Amino acid sequence: MPWQPVIGLEVHVQLKTKSKIFSPAPTVFGAEPNVQANVVDLALPGVLPFLNDEVVNMAIKFGLGAHATINKRSVFARKHYFYPDLPKGYQISQNKFPIISGGYIDIPVANDKIKRVKLTRAHLEEDAGKSIHYEGENKSGIDLNRAGMPLLEIVSEPELRSASEAVTFLKTLHNLVQYLDICDGNMQEGSFRCDANISIRLSEEHEFGTRVEIKNINSFKFVEQAINYEIERQTDCIKHSEEIVQETRLFDSAQKVTKSMRSKENAHDYRYFAEPDLPPLLIEQETIDKIRHSMPELPWDKKQRFIEQYELSDYDAAILTADKNIAYYFENVCKETKASNKITANWIAGELMGQLNKTGASIKNCPISANYMAEMLDKIADGTISGKIGKTVFEELWLGKQTVAEIISSKGLSQISDPKELEQVIQEIINKFPSQVGEYKSGKDKLFGFFVGQVMQVTKGRANPGLLQEMLKNLLSK
Amino acid sequence: MQDDANNPEKKVISDEEIKKIAQLSMLNLNQDELEMLKTDFGNTLKLFETLEKKDVDSVEVSYESSKISQPRRNDEVLHDNKTQKQQNADTSPYFNKKTGYFDVPPVIETE
Amino acid sequence: MLHKLSLKQLHDGLKNKDFTSKELTGHYLDRIAKHDVNLNSFISVTSEHALAQAQEADKIIQRGEQTGMLTGIPIAQKDIFCTKGIKTTCCSKILAEFTPPYDATVIKKYQENNSIMIGKTNMDEFAMGGSNENSYFGLCANPWDLTRVPGGSSGGSASAVAARLCPGATGTDTGGSIRQPASFCGISGIKPTYGRISRYGMIAFASSLDQAGPMAPSAEDLAIMLQAMAGKDSQDMTSANIEVPNYLSYINESLKGKKVGLPKEFFQDGLDDKIRSKIEDAIEVLKQQGVEFVEISLPNSVLAVPTYYIIGPCEASSNLARYDGVRYGYRTNNPKNLESLYKDSRAEGFGDEVKRRILIGTYALSSGYYDAYYQKAQKIRKVIKEDFDKAFEKVDLILGPTTPSFAYKIGAMTKDPVKMYLGDIFTIPANLAGLPGMSIPVGFSNNMPIGMQLIGKAFAEPEMLNMAHIYQQNTDWHTQIPEKYTT
């Protein structure tokens, strides 16, 4: 009997502000340890938190993007636990009164359907620091540069039903926060990470099973693996009549398994109470309205517009808007090129995104500028080069050394569209293969492709395909 | 104080409970301290008993002193990394000038 | 006899060049050297720093620049305020070697006023206590009787001012820590409205209750000091965005027609008869100035002590979690592991009273008890505040005793912390309600001073200082100095 997984996600989105949530220290990644932790971040005696306005604006932006309620009054609270990377002995977070309540994210699921995943809430909090272990020494080091980085924790309802749904949800959310320009989305640096709550049950009608939390998963792949492992583990437990323990587990990405954290870690008593150093966060309607009016186009709106404005298929539009920088690139190329939107879309979704994936490069530092891409597509459109040759040009452009024109001329890649020149080549081939010509003429039509291939071989693929077809037909029938 | 400790009426908190609270508070207490604190604890809880009679179920707690939102900080960096490093070295005896970390006994990663 | 002058007189003297700031500072440093051996009101005397500041102040005065009221005048700072480059310990072993890299806003403001910081005063560890007996740096004595406590937690400041080792000092008041020692030592002290003075750099005990304030012989002195300390601070989001009035300009207003409430709960059986009679005398003085008195009731004020001893420790348990031996402060020797680093550093670094309050606070916040204690205390706090709101519909100010008894003998209360807690019964309500409260001396009994408390509406400091000043214009209790310290 198939068991139904019930999955809810808690996503930690690092907001891309210049300074920290409660201090004016910088948020740049990768600095020397502890140099970006000021008196407030270090929790020196007597310091007080001072709320960064931009953090609030970004949370509002998210709330608007996720169709959620922006609470005009939210309350910061202290969450207590002792850990060396938590300087105050408490984390300033929001508990009973978060800044954002409700909302939803629509995600694509099988058969071109859309699933609406409800959000429980999103609240503001500060990040903790990090600890490292000194190699070969019996001590650790604490780095508090990350302490006080602004986080928006987004909590979904337990409405996801498979690992792949969870990943789709995460990807949609990941895309949204980047569209909103509130997070750099860098998962390796931990700017976007998630905890997953998983339980299983017999079917829709049954109550939720015992919930297990997997903490701190920082890649889409790991999310999928961790959830799938956990579903299997829990199903096994039930099959063997073992009890599923409500606990926190960690994902071991090397062994691809989840492991129980020590029970002590589960025995937290956070002793939340309203943060007396910060008055309740009051948001005026005016602020919300102002942000609403300056909202960027959201991914689903952009997709719809692409379908209408560029007459793209749903599929193409989805691919091109899945990353706002790709979408931006696409629109820039469209503006410049004479090529059709469909061809432009094919090139970007196919060749370009393939290359980005293969090399791990990001569209933002893509070696082929939108201008060059447009120019290349123009050369295909006007017949200077064939689509096939275009791929060679593309590869050369990727190296970033030459312009489109330089590549075409230096490699002699321009298409042979001169009938005289082409006729000469065709004639040579006809002369070279008299028996095949005979066979063709006696009705073996299939041999036409053979002649095309021969011409292409001789011209190194530069023959204008349309012209070649036409001339070859004529000359062979003579 | 010792007399109070022997007064069963004042013992309203168990050894186990006070140990749990000491653990949550991250305080290492020896037996004498435990006894003393337990007694004081009990007396303090007795003091709190006067609140039990007061019915405040219908009272709503509010935290704000003002209905107007407090000004928030502009998102500006006011910081110098170099100065901070020196400050860390000056303020903390546990700051490792070589590595830049605050050194502590091993933080055992949970398995 | 410079130490008998008020702040205003000192200001005039400096301005008229009757003496220099260096001379004045030197005079007080000499007095500290001579008298503080017995009092222990200072835990550090910042002579060099003070003399250098005095030299700067003298230059400013020499140049004839427009000088503030505190230019060149030495003030002592409670050791709860962070001072850049100068040890700040909160009188705890856990911070005994701590030197902050920054100045508290209060310290900055005194600097901006070109005032001289003469030293840091003794206090109960982390401001927890009412007798100064919880200081890691030892007892502090009451100048009126060296066998008695000066009160607390701002005991060092009260003792130093009473003995005229400084013309004024700062204190902090979470449940009475300015008013009670002021009362015990026969000086004036005001805890302003919550939010009136920035808490930035003031080491936190209970964030929703802590408030800094001045301590000095007279209400006029307090007005001058409060002027320097008050104001919105961009580094403290709980500081009030309300304009600071000119306190001195209001101080001489007539009291005619002012209505003062006498809460019947403050005059019940527990009150010492001598204190009651001195308060009654003071009421007579004020009546002659045209003040009307009416009985009022603050029915829930009887719940203030237990409410406070829940909220205070809850916030304290949280505020003191940062002292873990990881980044600064005391660390146990050779901790065998991380847990020992935490538990032993904290166990060795904190004193008994601090531990008691951390434990109580942790308990009251812990799962299963939160509603019964913390949540309930917050609700009662609101009810107590509403009592005041109601009372202030009828009266301008509230008057009563500051403490139910005088300064007691050193050691008399140490065995029973709860009994000591009950000594805060009259001061705590103002903290819970966030209202300004002040204490002024109204007489003596057996040579020990008695204090009277005024409580005002939020930001009613001008009215309170005004009433206290007019009272002091008609009495001389505030000018009394213990005999040993007159010369």
Side-chain angles (χ1 to χ4, degrees):
Chain A
M1 197 179 321
W3 291 81
Q4 185 187 60
V6 175
I7 304 160
L9 297 179
E10 292 169 16
V11 186
H12 289 89
V13 172
Q14 194 178 88
L15 300 173
K16 56 184 255 195
T17 52
K18 294 199 257 318
S19 63
K20 294 188 177 176
I21 181 166
F22 299 122
S23 93
T27 54
V28 183
F29 183 81
E32 229 185 300
N34 292 308
V35 298
Q36 291 187 166
N38 83 348
V39 290
V40 175
D41 308 315
L42 291 167
L44 290 191
V47 296
L48 296 171
F50 192 20
L51 182 61
N52 183 343
D53 187 46
E54 195 55 24
V55 168
V56 177
N57 293 340
M58 287 181 174
I60 296 173
K61 242 178 163 180
F62 174 78
L64 293 173
H67 323 276
T69 306
I70 318 288
N71 294 315
K72 289 190 180 155
R73 177 183 177 279
S74 61
V75 178
F76 285 99
R78 295 182 179 181
K79 178 182 181 180
H80 299 85
Y81 60 94
F82 285 97
Y83 211 65
D85 66 11
L86 188 72
K88 293 189 289 294
Y90 58 84
Q91 176 195 32
I92 304 179
S93 179
Q94 295 186 310
N95 184 31
K96 284 185 195 152
F97 307 99
I99 185 166
I100 306 291
S101 298
Y104 61 84
I105 305 274
D106 285 337
I107 62 166
V109 287
N111 306 323
D112 288 338
K113 289 221 173 77
I114 292 291
K115 173 169 177 161
R116 179 156 291 184
V117 181
K118 287 202 281 296
L119 303 181
T120 313
R121 58 185 280 162
H123 66 255
L124 289 171
E125 62 183 27
E126 58 181 339
D127 208 343
K130 285 176 183 170
S131 62
I132 59 105
H133 192 78
Y134 282 100
E135 202 66 49
E137 281 180 82
N138 194 30
K139 63 176 182 180
S140 293
I142 306 298
D143 173 13
L144 297 171
N145 281 346
R146 201 179 67 178
M149 294 284 249
L151 296 178
L152 184 69
E153 181 175 329
I154 301 161
V155 183
S156 86
E157 290 285 310
E159 294 185 340
L160 300 159
R161 293 291 175 264
S162 70
S164 72
E165 251 182 43
V167 170
T168 306
F169 171 81
L170 265 188
K171 283 185 172 167
T172 310
L173 194 60
H174 186 246
N175 191 26
L176 173 63
V177 294
Q178 290 181 86
Y179 263 76
L180 293 169
D181 205 24
I182 62 173
C183 174
D184 68 16
N186 192 324
M187 296 178 83
Q188 267 139 16
E189 291 175 5
S191 304
F192 188 91
R193 52 192 203 262
C194 95
D195 304 340
N197 289 305
I198 302 156
S199 64
I200 56 171
R201 60 177 171 181
L202 213 41
S203 70
E204 205 68 47
E205 293 78 46
H206 286 75
E207 280 182 19
F208 290 165
T210 308
R211 192 179 72 160
V212 168
E213 183 177 23
I214 312 172
K215 276 228 177 272
N216 259 328
I217 328 174
N218 66 351
S219 90
F220 295 130
K221 198 172 84 191
F222 293 162
V223 168
E224 180 139 31
Q225 289 171 348
I227 293 176
N228 278 332
Y229 175 85
E230 192 55 29
I231 293 169
E232 210 172 300
R233 187 187 71 83
Q234 290 185 22
T235 313
D236 268 6
C237 278
I238 292 179
K239 275 185 193 152
H240 296 100
S241 307
E242 286 165 27
E243 195 194 351
I244 295 170
V245 188
Q246 180 166 352
E247 61 177 350
T248 300
R249 298 174 74 90
L250 283 179
F251 181 63
D252 180 331
S253 56
Q255 296 177 36
K256 298 191 173 53
V257 297
T258 65
K259 290 178 173 175
S260 180
M261 290 172 78
R262 287 174 305 154
S263 57
K264 214 180 198 176
E265 298 290 331
N266 297 316
H268 279 319
D269 184 343
Y270 291 130
R271 289 161 283 139
Y272 279 105
F273 72 89
E275 166 59 281
D277 288 335
L278 292 166
L281 170 52
L282 304 180
I283 298 170
E284 326 273 342
Q285 184 59 42
E286 216 185 335
T287 309
I288 301 174
D289 291 342
K290 216 168 117 195
I291 293 171
R292 195 192 301 276
H293 290 126
S294 63
M295 283 287 278
E297 187 178 32
L298 296 179
W300 35 87
D301 296 330
K302 197 182 285 279
K303 183 183 151 198
Q304 203 48 46
R305 179 168 64 80
F306 275 23
I307 292 171
E308 286 158 20
Q309 182 179 340
Y310 298 104
E311 297 176 314
L312 298 181
S313 67
D314 196 276
Y315 179 80
D316 284 345
I319 289 182
L320 290 171
T321 55
D323 176 334
K324 79 162 177 177
N325 294 308
I326 298 269
Y328 181 74
Y329 186 95
F330 169 76
E331 292 205 89
N332 276 342
V333 176
C334 283
K335 249 183 263 166
E336 302 285 325
T337 186
K338 286 174 272 192
S340 76
N341 296 332
K342 172 70 188 160
I343 286 187
T344 305
N346 284 349
W347 270 89
I348 292 174
E351 223 48 41
L352 183 76
M353 287 179 73
Q355 190 69 13
L356 288 172
N357 264 338
K358 209 166 79 189
T359 57
S362 116
I363 184 75
K364 275 198 214 157
N365 34 41
C366 173
I368 306 179
S369 71
N371 279 343
Y372 278 9
M373 186 63 145
E375 200 183 330
M376 189 199 83
L377 293 175
D378 279 351
K379 296 289 181 201
I380 297 171
D382 69 13
T384 309
I385 56 172
S386 66
K388 214 169 166 193
I389 289 292
K391 290 185 182 169
T392 311
V393 175
F394 177 88
E395 276 160 25
E396 285 299 316
L397 274 177
W398 186 266
L399 301 175
K401 289 184 185 140
Q402 289 174 299
T403 63
V404 175
E406 280 165 3
I407 292 167
I408 292 172
S409 78
S410 73
K411 296 234 161 188
L413 293 176
S414 64
Q415 194 160 254
I416 302 169
S417 299
D418 176 2
K420 270 189 194 150
E421 197 183 340
L422 197 57
E423 186 179 337
Q424 209 177 338
V425 179
I426 295 170
Q427 207 51 63
E428 272 172 33
I429 296 298
I430 288 174
N431 296 343
K432 202 172 166 189
F433 299 102
S435 59
Q436 281 86 343
V437 174
E439 280 175 54
Y440 175 80
K441 284 187 171 164
S442 63
K444 212 168 173 188
D445 288 352
K446 272 187 186 165
L447 275 170
F448 188 77
F450 166 79
F451 294 108
V452 171
Q454 288 302 318
V455 174
M456 281 303 184
Q457 205 177 348
V458 171
T459 61
K460 295 190 179 106
R462 291 162 53 227
N464 180 325
L467 189 63
L468 172 60
Q469 292 265 337
E470 190 191 316
M471 290 183 68
L472 191 60
K473 226 172 238 170
N474 280 336
L475 290 168
L476 278 173
S477 60
K478 267 186 190 163
Chain B
M1 194 86 334
Q2 256 57 40
D3 302 341
D4 284 351
N6 296 327
N7 181 346
E9 216 191 78
K10 297 211 168 181
K11 271 196 178 178
V12 287
I13 186 155
S14 66
D15 276 26
E16 208 171 292
E17 250 182 315
I18 192 118
K19 276 182 186 158
K20 194 189 117 197
I21 297 300
Q23 171 68 33
L24 262 182
S25 308
M26 280 287 169
L27 285 171
N28 213 357
L29 302 178
N30 61 36
Q31 200 52 43
D32 287 350
E33 281 179 305
L34 212 69
E35 284 303 322
M36 178 194 75
L37 288 166
K38 204 170 64 181
T39 310
D40 295 343
F41 211 102
N43 293 341
T44 310
L45 293 184
K46 271 236 168 308
L47 174 70
F48 295 167
E49 278 173 16
T50 51
L51 300 184
E52 281 171 19
K53 282 164 261 154
K54 180 76 187 172
D55 179 11
V56 282
D57 287 352
S58 59
V59 177
E60 288 249 2
V61 183
S62 59
Y63 304 100
E64 46 262 80
S65 50
S66 158
K67 291 267 172 278
I68 315 154
S69 65
Q70 287 288 321
R72 298 186 278 268
R73 186 170 59 80
N74 285 334
D75 184 23
E76 282 166 359
V77 174
L78 295 167
H79 187 84
D80 180 60
N81 286 6
K82 238 191 196 152
T83 316
Q84 188 59 49
K85 193 174 180 183
Q86 187 58 47
Q87 205 181 86
N88 291 341
D90 292 345
T91 311
S92 174
Y94 323 118
F95 182 71
N96 186 326
K97 283 175 215 163
K98 231 185 268 167
T99 62
Y101 293 107
F102 294 102
D103 286 352
V104 292
V107 176
I108 303 145
E109 280 301 322
T110 45
E111 316 221 339
Chain C
M1 286 304 165
L2 288 174
H3 57 275
K4 290 193 174 163
L5 302 182
S6 72
L7 288 179
K8 196 158 179 286
Q9 288 166 328
L10 289 175
H11 169 70
D12 291 342
L14 286 164
K15 208 166 90 180
N16 298 334
K17 306 196 174 74
D18 297 340
F19 46 86
T20 64
S21 170
K22 213 174 165 187
E23 285 161 0
L24 180 64
T25 306
H27 176 71
Y28 278 111
L29 286 172
D30 289 347
R31 287 184 65 78
I32 294 170
K34 189 171 157 199
H35 295 297
D36 205 42
V37 188
N38 295 326
L39 291 173
N40 197 28
S41 58
F42 283 88
I43 64 153
S44 44
V45 181
T46 50
S47 319
E48 266 177 56
H49 175 83
L51 289 169
Q53 280 186 321
Q55 204 158 3
E56 282 307 305
D58 280 331
K59 279 186 203 158
I60 292 167
I61 297 165
Q62 273 305 319
R63 288 200 294 267
E65 287 171 26
Q66 186 77 27
T67 55
M69 293 296 290
L70 288 168
T71 302
I73 297 178
I75 298 290
Q77 300 289 351
K78 186 175 181 179
D79 202 35
I80 200 169
F81 294 102
C82 282
T83 45
K84 189 175 179 174
I86 294 168
K87 237 181 238 183
T88 302
T89 71
C90 235
C91 287
S92 178
K93 183 181 176 184
I94 217 157
L95 288 175
E97 299 301 326
F98 177 69
T99 303
Y102 78 107
D103 278 318
T105 300
V106 162
I107 299 293
K108 262 194 201 153
K109 289 201 154 212
Y110 273 103
Q111 279 167 7
E112 285 162 11
N113 279 278
N114 300 302
S115 163
I116 315 302
M117 181 173 81
I118 196 159
K120 312 270 317 256
T121 56
N122 205 345
M123 57 183 281
D124 283 300
E125 182 181 5
F126 283 106
M128 295 177 195
S131 64
N132 216 107
E133 290 166 294
N134 298 331
S135 167
Y136 176 63
F137 297 101
L139 299 170
C140 172
N142 190 318
W144 293 97
D145 177 349
L146 296 181
T147 68
R148 289 177 188 269
V149 302
S153 68
S154 312
S157 289
S159 169
V161 171
R164 302 301 192 264
L165 305 188
C166 55
T170 56
T172 61
D173 189 317
T174 306
S177 280
I178 286 175
R179 291 161 287 161
Q180 183 253 29
S183 164
F184 279 13
C185 290
I187 62 164
S188 304
I190 185 165
K191 177 207 94 75
T193 312
Y194 183 80
R196 180 72 293 179
I197 296 173
S198 167
R199 291 187 297 116
Y200 189 75
M202 183 177 115
I203 299 177
F205 157 16
S207 313
S208 74
L209 300 160
D210 294 345
Q211 185 57 216
M215 302 169 82
S218 73
E220 184 194 66
D221 297 336
L222 296 182
I224 292 169
M225 291 173 72
L226 182 58
Q227 199 74 51
M229 297 169 80
K232 173 77 187 161
D233 180 11
S234 67
Q235 283 176 298
D236 176 1
M237 285 193 81
T238 63
S239 68
N241 203 358
I242 289 173
E243 212 185 319
V244 180
N246 185 327
Y247 297 111
L248 266 190
S249 73
Y250 197 80
I251 208 163
N252 285 307
E253 295 287 305
S254 158
L255 298 183
K256 218 171 195 141
K258 291 277 176 199
K259 225 172 185 183
V260 170
L262 302 171
K264 61 177 187 204
E265 294 80 6
F266 284 23
F267 291 92
Q268 281 163 355
D269 293 345
L271 183 63
D272 188 291
D273 281 339
K274 287 164 201 140
I275 295 178
R276 184 195 306 272
S277 97
K278 288 296 168 190
I279 303 269
E280 280 164 3
D281 292 351
I283 289 171
E284 280 311 311
V285 173
L286 289 169
K287 273 184 182 165
Q288 278 161 28
Q289 297 300 314
V291 179
E292 284 173 49
F293 287 87
V294 290
E295 189 187 84
I296 56 161
S297 175
L298 299 170
N300 294 296
S301 62
V302 293
L303 302 173
V305 172
T307 302
Y308 171 85
Y309 278 95
I310 290 171
I311 294 172
C314 283
E315 293 183 10
S317 72
S318 170
N319 284 327
L320 271 59
R322 68 189 59 197
Y323 307 108
D324 53 11
V326 171
R327 302 167 311 287
Y328 56 84
Y330 177 80
R331 182 186 276 193
T332 189
N333 282 328
N334 304 315
K336 59 178 189 292
N337 54 35
L338 195 62
E339 188 156 314
S340 140
L341 169 72
Y342 276 95
K343 286 184 166 177
D344 292 323
S345 299
R346 288 166 63 79
E348 293 161 24
F350 290 135
D352 286 343
E353 183 59 25
V354 172
K355 285 182 201 171
R356 268 193 282 271
R357 298 203 195 183
I358 289 175
L359 290 172
I360 282 285
T362 304
Y363 177 78
L365 284 173
S366 67
S367 144
Y369 297 102
Y370 177 88
D371 285 338
Y373 292 117
Y374 187 74
Q375 183 73 0
K376 179 139 196 187
Q378 287 291 4
K379 288 180 172 187
I380 295 175
R381 179 179 187 173
K382 194 177 176 195
V383 171
I384 289 171
K385 192 175 181 303
E386 285 165 355
D387 280 357
F388 277 108
D389 292 344
K390 222 186 210 165
F392 281 123
E393 286 171 11
K394 285 184 287 188
V395 300
D396 299 303
L397 292 174
I398 290 170
L399 183 150
T402 308
T403 56
S405 68
F406 330 87
Y408 39 83
K409 291 274 186 187
I410 288 168
M413 298 276 216
T414 41
K415 289 256 164 96
D416 193 348
V418 173
K419 199 170 162 198
M420 202 190 286
Y421 297 166
L422 292 168
D424 302 334
I425 186 159
F426 302 137
T427 46
I428 281 173
N431 296 88
L432 290 173
L435 300 175
M438 80 184 289
S439 179
I440 53 170
V442 291
F444 291 83
S445 174
N446 294 328
N447 204 34
M448 288 311 291
I450 290 167
M452 176 177 82
Q453 183 178 212
L454 293 173
I455 299 172
K457 295 176 205 174
F459 305 101
E461 290 85 358
E463 289 84 348
M464 296 159 70
L465 291 165
N466 171 217
M467 188 167 290
H469 179 68
I470 299 294
Y471 173 81
Q472 290 179 337
Q473 293 298 96
N474 291 281
T475 54
D476 65 354
W477 307 114
H478 64 288
T479 64
Q480 308 285 315
I481 305 174
E483 218 185 305
K484 262 191 246 171
Y485 306 96
T486 48
T487 53

